[in-house]
Amino acid sequence: MSIAIKVPSVGESISEVFIGEWYAPEGTWVDVDQNIVGLETDKATFDVPAPAAGTIKRVLKQAGDTAAVGETIAELEESPRPAT
């Protein structure tokens, strides 16, 4: 199942953020609550954790791009950890 990774609301006066660093690029498997991207505002920097375990399917916004609160910035394909 595909899950949209959206920019969370970080305060009443903040309507958009800058995409900082992607800690988990496309194709990377992530665990639930693992930080996948850093976001920046003029007041704070914060990380967005994975809502479920799976693989980053698509990154829709690159580092340096801006994104609105609530906008989808990536897609996560929920799945168990792959065998190694």
Side-chain angles (χ1 to χ4, degrees):
M1 180 171 99
S2 187
I3 299 172
I5 307 299
K6 297 183 178 195
V7 175
S9 176
V10 291
E12 289 183 24
S13 64
I14 298 172
S15 61
E16 74 176 12
V17 300
F18 290 98
I19 307 298
E21 178 184 355
W22 281 99
Y23 310 131
E26 280 185 20
T28 303
W29 190 89
V30 295
D31 207 351
V32 64
D33 292 331
Q34 178 180 335
N35 289 333
I36 55 176
V37 63
L39 302 179
E40 303 171 10
T41 71
D42 57 343
K43 298 179 182 180
T45 299
F46 59 97
D47 294 326
V48 176
T55 302
I56 302 297
K57 183 176 170 182
R58 275 187 8 183
V59 171
L60 304 172
K61 293 284 188 169
Q62 301 301 316
D65 290 348
T66 59
V69 169
E71 185 175 354
T72 299
I73 58 174
E75 293 176 1
L76 174 78
E77 187 66 35
E78 191 173 9
S79 65
R81 180 183 287 274
T84 54

